[in-house]
């Protein structure tokens, strides 16, 4: 008996900013929107998926961005995503190297920290 997988990760955004979040998470990071169960549809936010990753975006008032805690998304072509983010004017930061990975940090339009990683070798 124990944990067998991660079902989803939840991030928060300000109330009413779902369209801005869609532009970032769908258009730039490549997520697709999933229909939320009917019982949760009136709460705002959205559910997203990419590969085996499920990301739930909730709304929060007052909103405070996560500057330390963050999801780390594993990509098959980090540079292509970094190029899209740079072209859109998104924040891109380097951090200490991590053996076996190349990685960048970005922020969603609300200041939430996001790590982007690709395995090397």
């Amino acid at each position: 008996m124990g944990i067998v997988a991660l079902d989803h990760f939840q991030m928060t955004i300000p109330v009413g900013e779902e369209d801005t979040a869609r532009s970032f998470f769908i258009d730039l990071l490549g997520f697709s929107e999933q229909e939320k169960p009917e019982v949760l549809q009136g709460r705002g936010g959205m559910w997203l998926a990419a590969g085996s990753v499920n990301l739930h975006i909730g709304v929060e008032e007052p909103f405070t961005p996560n500057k330390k805690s963050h999801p780390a998304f594993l990509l098959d072509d980090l540079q292509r995503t970094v190029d899209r983010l740079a072209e859109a004017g998104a924040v891109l930061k380097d951090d200490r190297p991590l053996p076996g990975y190349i990685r960048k940090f970005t922020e969603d339009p609300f200041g939430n920290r996001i790590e982007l990683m690709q395995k090397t070798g």
Side-chain angles (χ1 to χ4, degrees):
M1 181 146 62
I3 296 172
V4 297
L6 177 66
D7 182 76
H8 68 275
F9 184 86
Q10 183 163 11
M11 297 176 69
T12 59
I13 63 172
V15 173
E17 291 293 334
E18 288 88 349
D19 286 341
T20 302
R22 283 182 183 95
S23 294
F24 180 81
F25 288 99
I26 294 172
D27 298 342
L28 297 179
L29 293 187
F31 281 90
S32 60
E33 191 164 358
Q34 309 297 300
E35 187 171 349
K36 289 171 62 172
E38 190 174 330
V39 68
L40 300 178
Q41 289 180 6
R43 295 181 175 186
M46 69 194 74
W47 285 12
L48 305 170
S52 64
V53 176
N54 294 302
L55 176 61
H56 294 180
I57 304 289
V59 296
E60 188 171 47
E61 185 64 42
F63 170 76
T64 303
N66 288 313
K67 295 296 188 179
K68 184 70 174 174
S69 65
H70 63 277
F73 299 127
L74 190 60
L75 304 167
D76 61 3
D77 189 344
L78 176 64
Q79 191 58 54
R80 184 175 63 211
T81 300
V82 167
D83 291 346
R84 262 197 320 271
L85 289 165
E87 187 175 312
V91 171
L92 289 164
K93 298 176 184 176
D94 291 316
D95 204 333
R96 293 186 181 130
L98 186 61
Y101 296 91
I102 52 174
R103 63 190 192 140
K104 290 276 188 184
F105 285 88
T106 190
E107 294 177 358
D108 69 12
F110 318 105
N112 290 309
R113 185 178 190 204
I114 298 169
E115 185 173 2
L116 305 171
M117 306 174 76
Q118 181 177 340
K119 289 184 179 181
T120 58

